[in-house]
Structure formats: C-alpha cells, structure tokens
Amino acid sequence: MKTSLFSFTLLLTLQYSLAQPPAQSPAPSGPTNITGILEKAGQFNTFLRLLKSTQEVDQINTQLNNSNQGVTLFAPPDNAFATLKSGTLNFLTDQQKVELVQFHVLPSFISIAQFQTVSNPLRTQAGNANNGQFPLNVTTSGTQVNVTTGVVDTTVANIIYTDGNLAIYQVNKVLLPLEIFGDPAPANAPKPQKGSSTRSSADSPSDDSSDDTSSATGLIKQAASFVVLAAIGIFYL
Ligand SMILES: *[C@@H]1O[C@H](CO)[C@@H](O)[C@H](O)[C@H]1NC(C)=O
Ligand SMILES: *[C@@H]1O[C@H](CO)[C@@H](O)[C@H](O)[C@H]1NC(C)=O
Ligand SMILES: *[C@@H]1O[C@H](CO)[C@@H](O)[C@H](O)[C@H]1NC(C)=O
Ligand SMILES: *[C@@H]1O[C@H](CO)[C@@H](O)[C@H](O)[C@H]1NC(C)=O
C-alpha cells in the first residue's frame, strides 16, 4: 500500500513536472523561431511535423544562430502533401524522411532577387556535406521563381518570412528529390527497404499494400499505448 501510494505520488509529480515548462528567463529577442513562424502562417502542419520528427528544426535553428550564411526554407503547405500519392511519406525510411526535409533547406539566405543570379544546381542541406548530392534548380522570370527537382516543377507562391538571414518561401508542391523518387539507376538506386526488393522499376513511390499495412500497424500501436495508459489510470484510481 505504501509502495503504491509512493508510486502514485511519483506519477503525479512526474505528470506535474511534465506539464510545467522548465522555468526560463524570458528571452524575447532570442534566435528566430521557425516553428513559431510556420505555426502562425497556418497550413503547414504536415511540414512542421516532419521538421520536428526529423529534428531538422533544431538543426536549422542552430545553423541560424551559429552561421552568418543564413538559411532558406521551401515550405509546402498541407494541401501539397495531400496531393502526394497515398503512402508516399510512409514508404520512406527514416533516413529518407530526413533527406526529404533537408532537400527543402538551402544552407544560405537567398532573396527572391538573388535567385535570378544563382547558378544551378543549388546545393541543398540533404545528402552528405558539399558533394552536390540532392541538388535542385531554379529558373526565374522577374520575381517569379520556379523550382525543379527533376521529379517535380513548382513555383514560389508566397514569401512567408524574410529577414535577411532566414527566408521561408511557400512552394506549391512538395519537392521530391530525384535521388529518392527518380527512376532507380543501377549505380545509385535508393536502398531497398526490407521486404520491398520486388518493387518494380516504376518510380511510383506508393506501394499501397505495404503502406496500408504500416499505417494499420501504427493505429494498432496507438491503440495499444492508449490501452496501457488507460490501464495505468484505472490502476491508480
Ligand atoms: C517557438 O515557438 C513555438 C510556438 O510558438 C513554441 O512552442 C516554442 O517553444 C518556441 N521555441 C523557442 C526555442 O522559442
Ligand atoms: C547561439 O550562439 C551563441 C554564440 O555563438 C551561443 O552562445 C548560444 O548558445 C547559441 N544558442 C543556441 C540556442 O544555439
Ligand atoms: C514557371 O512555371 C510556370 C508554370 O509551369 C511557367 O508558365 C513559366 O514559364 C515558368 N517560368 C520560368 C521562368 O521558368
Ligand atoms: C539543373 O541544372 C544543371 C546545370 O544547368 C543541369 O545540368 C541539370 O540537368 C539541371 N537539372 C534539372 C533537374 O533541371
């Protein structure tokens, strides 16, 4: 009884401390907060979730704080993700998810006007270091900036944020890198996922059967953790 009371107290304490943000001195003029900007802009929930789950948001924030090159971010809105073939994201390995997100990040600040003079291909944050992996190209006409990856062509639709150090541009489509979504070339085909070695050479990223399975598994996992949480709750009542 004592033990369980102790555990109960511990649980309460734990919940309490989890609910309390760590005390911080107010730092209103701190580094730019990408999460805050995108949340405020709205319509970027999927991209935000990817930025967080891949921890790329931390990397960008660190980069903004520590380099004077700045950062340029192409942000596809939720409806751009919604038009992807079903299962496109689920099909990716964790590593490929990181690469997909990093493909939307350029490791320097580029204003709309500067796009007119950059030389293709542009280096993105994806791939290892400076070896030109995961490039994308831009073409401009006046202030119109088109982006092409070799898989998708899209346009900068909107300037969400710019301050000379960070630029966030809305693009109408998710930038799918050729390295992941292009035709698998013999030399640099994407690493096959387990169980998908029979994937045809079609570049279709959605293997619906496996996708359905994985999302079903996800649901079951969620349901299972809910049951466990509920059971813990009942136990302590
Ligand atoms: C950034 O803004 C978000 C949403 O407003 C907030 O939850 C988060 O704590 C902020 N992060 C930093 C480092 O200020
Ligand atoms: C930002 O940079 C300063 C100076 O380089 C460093 O002291 C600080 O810890 C950095 N903050 C973050 C959040 O990276
Ligand atoms: C940009 O894309 C649009 C739509 O595909 C096209 O009409 C326009 O000519 C392109 N502009 C440039 C500069 O590539
Ligand atoms: C990007 O531009 C480079 C240099 O002009 C060119 O070699 C390459 O084929 C272009 N790639 C795409 C996908 O447009």
Side-chain angles (χ1 to χ4, degrees), residues 46 49-50 81 84-93 97 100 174 176 181 205 211:
T46 310
R49 206 169 54 210
L50 279 169
F81 282 96
L84 290 177
K85 284 184 192 145
S86 89
T88 301
L89 293 185
N90 289 340
F91 174 79
L92 301 177
T93 64
K97 277 181 194 156
L100 176 67
V174 180
L176 302 178
F181 295 93
D211 168 48

Side-chain angles (χ1 to χ4, degrees), residues 40-60:
K40 202 172 156 201
Q43 300 303 313
F44 295 97
N45 297 313
T46 310
F47 191 55
L48 266 169
R49 206 169 54 210
L50 279 169
L51 278 168
K52 288 177 191 166
S53 69
T54 58
Q55 280 155 23
E56 183 61 17
V57 71
D58 301 328
Q59 198 185 320
I60 296 172

Side-chain angles (χ1 to χ4, degrees), residues 138-142 144-147 153-155 173:
V138 294
T139 53
T140 59
S141 162
Q144 183 179 53
V145 179
N146 287 1
V147 182
D153 302 323
T154 189
T155 300
K173 291 182 188 165

Side-chain angles (χ1 to χ4, degrees), residues 86 90 207-217:
S86 89
N90 289 340
D207 181 342
D208 283 328
S209 56
S210 76
D211 168 48
D212 288 352
T213 318
S214 64
S215 55
T217 315

Side-chain angles (χ1 to χ4, degrees), residues 190-204:
K191 290 183 194 76
Q193 287 185 287
K194 40 183 185 312
S196 69
S197 54
T198 57
R199 193 159 64 93
S200 78
S201 63
D203 62 355
S204 158

